[in-house]
């Protein structure tokens, strides 16, 4: 095919992580994208064909060159976000999980029976996430099929890559009458319909949005429902998402109901697959970790939400050492920020707190959990390639064969909090980008080679 297949060539300085400890700085590279939105070739100035490709791109109007002070990154991936809870973001954080769900969250989510309410809120949410650099989002919607499909339509219209789950919850003890599936049978049937309907939405010919089987968490689901959804996962090969061992209450509730931990319950019902995303996993045991790794399932680490609801800090270092697929989630509205840059910072800060410990009344050797701290490089990996690995999709890296899902960070823009100095080496600049990027710095966003934001505005 060669050069004639290129539809877009980006000339940029940029960064990409190929693993937790392998960060690559791309200097003046040419990133060549085909009409299906994949990166087909990356040339560095040392490559023989570099000049020829650059001239070809220029002559054919395909070249987009970043300006000094601008850097290309893979788009960020939010592995766990509750779309309907957008309305509650930044409030109602004053109760433990089980009360927060009953008092604030279920009442809000039940309102998405109203399609107009859903449309308005989902539109604002998807736009805001794109503006914050989230090119792929993994959404919990609500129990309502119509509103969940509407979220899919909005992602297609605004250009975000998304994995979307219609939530399943049928347990009559835990779920209020006004917000639950009528029965396990109807929950399974509605999920099946949702999967087919979402896959076949017009505009989704390239599967930019994907359905996710979504048992909310073990406490809200009957065994019949979990079994049916496991069967559906096998049948449809869909992604699966749920919450796992999130808080003291939740973890112990599952042990008292089943005598085993969340991950084993999910596994017994066929819900632990290569494409399963477990939110939190804060209390997973060594044995749970082995199970998760052996199943090649993934974890959405939600560090901000964990400060409010988890009662502990996720043992991220141990998960990374065990090579468990891991990425980051905002967990809105249990987390109050839509930014995965913020999630990077909170992951680093949480790991530092775990490393050093937090109780000044304890002597320093008893206070912390030495070796727990993670680096900004590891956080960058989690936000990008790590998320892509969890999803088993070619996203999260600037690499041949991956989708061109990318963002441009402008460090010079008016109002920037990033301050680069002459003696900053490339890794210093990446570190400053991770710590200090704000929405104003994220000027361009592409998903699948298609520009969805330009100069900080939706490209419509
Ligand atoms: N567990 C079950 N549902 C939820 C939810 O909406 N948010 C969080 N953080 N945990 C949950
Ligand atoms: Fe959650």
């Amino acid at each position: 095919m060669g050069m004639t297949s290129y539809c877009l060539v980006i000339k940029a300085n940029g960064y990409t992580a190929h693993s937790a400890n392998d960060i690559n700085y791309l200097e003046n590279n040419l990133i060549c994208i085909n009409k299906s939105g994949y990166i087909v070739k990356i040339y560095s100035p040392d490559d023989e064909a570099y000049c020829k490709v650059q001239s070809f791109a220029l002559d054919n109007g395909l070249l987009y060159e970043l300006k000094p002070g601008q850097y290309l990154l893979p788009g960020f991936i939010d592995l766990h976000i509750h779309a309907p809870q957008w309305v509650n973001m930044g409030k109602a954080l004053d109760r433990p999980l089980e009360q927060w769900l009953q008092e604030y969250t279920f009442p809000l989510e039940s309102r998405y029976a109203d399609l107009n309410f859903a449309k308005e809120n989902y539109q604002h949410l998807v736009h805001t996430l794109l503006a914050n650099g989230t090119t792929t989002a993994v959404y919990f919607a609500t129990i309502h099929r119509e509103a969940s499909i509407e979220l899919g339509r909005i992602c297609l219209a605004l250009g975000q890559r998304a994995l979307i789950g219609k939530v399943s919850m049928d347990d009559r003890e835990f779920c209020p009458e006004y917000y639950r599936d009528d029965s396990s049978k109807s929950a399974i049937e509605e999920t099946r319909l949702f999967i087919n309907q979402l896959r076949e939405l017009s505009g989704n010919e390239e599967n930019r949005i994907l359905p996710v089987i979504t048992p909310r968490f073990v406490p809200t689901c009957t065994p019949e429902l979990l079994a049916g959804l496991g069967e559906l996962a096998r049948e449809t090969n869909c992604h699966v998402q749920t919450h796992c061992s999130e808080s003291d209450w939740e973890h112990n509730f599952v042990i008292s109901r089943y005598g085993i931990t969340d991950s084993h319950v999910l596994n017994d019902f066929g819900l632990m697959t290569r494409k399963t995303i477990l939110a939190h996993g804060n209390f997973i045991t060594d044995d749970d970790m082995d199970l998760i790794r052996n199943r090649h399932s993934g974890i959405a680490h939600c560090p901000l939400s964990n400060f409010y609801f988890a009662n502990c800090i996720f043992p991220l270092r141990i998960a990374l050492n065990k090579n468990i697929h891991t990425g980051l989630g905002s967990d809105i509205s249990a987390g109050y920020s839509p930014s995965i840059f913020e999630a990077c910072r909170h992951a680093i800060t949480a790991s530092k707190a775990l490393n050093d410990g937090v109780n000044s009344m304890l002597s320093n050797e008893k206070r912390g959990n030495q070796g727990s701290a993670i680096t900004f490089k590891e956080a960058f990996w989690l936000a990008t390639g790590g998320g892509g690995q969890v999803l088993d999709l070619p996203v999260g890296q600037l690499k041949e064969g991956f989708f061109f899902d990318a963002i441009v960070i402008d460090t010079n823009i008016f109002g920037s909090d990033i301050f680069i100095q002459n003696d900053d080496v490339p890794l210093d600049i990446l570190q400053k980008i991770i710590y200090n990027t704000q929405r104003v710095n994220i000027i361009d966003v592409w998903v699948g080679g298609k520009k969805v934001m330009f100069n900080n505005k939706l490209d419509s």
Side-chain angles (χ1 to χ4, degrees):
M1 286 267 272
M3 285 193 294
T4 52
S5 72
Y6 302 163
C7 287
L8 172 67
V9 176
I10 312 281
K11 183 176 179 182
N13 297 329
Y15 300 90
T16 189
H18 297 309
S19 71
N21 291 303
D22 178 13
I23 308 281
N24 200 353
Y25 176 54
L26 312 173
E27 192 167 11
N28 276 317
N29 280 20
L30 297 172
I31 294 146
C32 306
I33 296 130
N34 70 8
K35 78 172 189 324
S36 307
Y38 286 95
I39 300 171
V40 280
K41 194 79 194 152
I42 299 181
Y43 295 96
S44 77
D46 307 334
D47 290 322
E48 207 179 305
Y50 184 89
C51 289
K52 206 170 79 185
V53 171
Q54 179 167 241
S55 309
F56 171 84
L58 192 62
D59 293 347
N60 290 280
L62 308 175
L63 191 69
Y64 184 80
E65 186 169 355
L66 301 201
K67 298 188 177 68
Q70 298 183 342
Y71 297 89
L72 189 71
L73 305 184
F76 278 23
I77 298 170
D78 188 339
L79 287 182
H80 183 66
I81 169 165
H82 296 265
Q85 296 174 22
W86 184 238
V87 176
N88 270 358
M89 185 176 65
K91 63 180 201 182
L93 289 167
D94 59 342
R95 298 273 193 283
L97 180 63
E98 60 280 23
Q99 291 172 25
W100 174 85
L101 286 169
Q102 301 287 353
E103 287 178 37
Y104 300 124
T105 303
F106 294 160
L108 169 61
E109 291 192 13
S110 72
R111 296 176 65 189
Y112 284 73
D114 174 352
L115 209 51
N116 287 326
F117 184 74
K119 262 187 207 175
E120 204 173 303
N121 298 328
Y122 285 164
Q123 229 147 19
H124 191 265
L125 161 70
V126 175
H127 178 191
T128 310
L129 290 189
L130 284 169
N132 277 284
T134 299
T135 51
T136 298
V138 185
Y139 292 110
F140 273 59
T142 60
I143 65 170
H144 314 101
R145 178 158 52 87
E146 275 309 318
S148 306
I149 289 291
E150 192 55 37
L151 176 58
R153 283 202 190 94
I154 290 166
C155 292
L156 285 172
L158 298 185
Q160 189 181 45
R161 190 180 303 286
L163 296 91
I164 300 171
K166 187 204 91 67
V167 172
S168 298
M169 43 195 278
D170 69 331
D171 185 277
R172 284 165 177 261
E173 234 171 88
F174 193 80
C175 308
E177 197 187 348
Y178 69 85
Y179 189 56
R180 70 180 176 224
D181 289 299
D182 293 334
S183 67
S184 59
K185 189 157 169 283
S186 77
I188 296 158
E189 216 30 60
E190 281 292 298
T191 299
R192 186 193 298 280
L193 286 171
F194 169 76
I195 291 167
N196 293 334
Q197 219 177 328
L198 192 97
R199 281 178 168 168
E200 273 153 33
L201 272 183
S202 121
N204 195 29
E205 291 70 27
E206 290 170 359
N207 296 313
R208 197 154 38 72
I209 60 169
L210 296 166
V212 187
I213 292 169
T214 307
R216 183 173 202 117
F217 64 157
V218 175
T220 54
C221 301
T222 60
E224 294 73 31
L225 176 56
L226 293 172
L229 294 179
E231 177 59 28
L232 202 55
R234 201 185 53 74
E235 228 177 87
T236 59
N237 194 29
C238 278
H239 285 79
V240 174
Q241 64 181 343
T242 190
H243 297 86
C244 173
S245 298
E246 178 177 3
S247 71
D248 277 320
W249 163 79
E250 191 272 334
H251 183 60
N252 291 326
F253 182 98
V254 174
I255 291 173
S256 68
R257 187 184 276 183
Y258 287 96
I260 48 177
T261 56
D262 286 56
S263 65
H264 282 276
V265 175
L266 296 167
N267 187 52
D268 289 351
F269 286 116
L271 290 162
M272 288 277 277
T273 75
R274 170 64 185 92
K275 298 203 289 188
T276 293
I277 306 135
L278 302 169
H280 306 285
N282 300 311
F283 287 95
I284 54 175
T285 63
D286 235 32
D287 173 64
D288 290 324
M289 289 204 197
D290 291 341
L291 172 63
I292 294 166
R293 194 200 39 222
N294 292 337
R295 288 279 176 266
H296 308 284
S297 299
I299 291 180
H301 173 38
C302 306
L304 178 56
S305 152
N306 286 347
F307 277 115
Y308 290 85
F309 294 102
N311 320 116
C312 74
I313 287 175
F314 173 64
L316 176 57
R317 168 60 59 213
I318 301 175
L320 289 175
N321 285 350
K322 285 191 182 258
N323 289 318
I324 291 176
H325 298 166
T326 309
L328 296 176
S330 64
D331 197 18
I332 285 168
S333 66
Y336 59 73
S337 169
S339 163
I340 294 299
F341 282 89
E342 280 291 322
C344 287
R345 296 159 203 156
H346 287 117
I348 298 166
T349 306
S351 76
K352 280 286 291 167
L354 182 58
N355 187 80
D356 291 0
V358 295
N359 186 349
S360 66
M361 300 299 153
L362 297 174
S363 64
N364 75 334
E365 68 275 10
K366 289 203 185 124
R367 205 182 299 138
N369 208 337
Q370 286 287 315
S372 296
I374 67 149
T375 66
F376 78 92
K377 296 186 231 176
E378 290 171 308
F380 176 52
W381 159 256
L382 293 172
T384 55
Q389 187 177 51
V390 168
L391 298 177
D392 200 19
L393 294 174
V395 295
Q397 299 186 45
L398 301 173
K399 186 177 172 183
E400 290 162 12
F402 278 60
F403 278 117
F404 186 65
D405 292 5
I407 58 180
V408 173
I409 305 299
D410 189 338
T411 61
N412 289 333
I413 200 155
F414 180 77
S416 174
D417 290 346
I418 306 171
F419 185 54
I420 310 281
Q421 297 227 289
N422 285 338
D423 54 3
D424 284 328
V425 300
L427 270 182
D428 293 330
I429 296 172
L430 177 62
Q431 188 164 7
K432 286 184 169 183
I433 286 172
I434 295 299
Y435 277 110
N436 287 118
T437 290
Q438 299 294 337
R439 181 167 163 170
V440 70
N441 299 105
I442 303 167
I443 58 163
D444 299 333
V445 180
W446 287 270
V447 176
K450 193 171 156 282
K451 199 164 230 184
V452 295
M453 300 224 10
F454 182 55
N455 275 337
N456 231 288
K457 295 192 178 55
L458 270 189
D459 201 46
S460 51

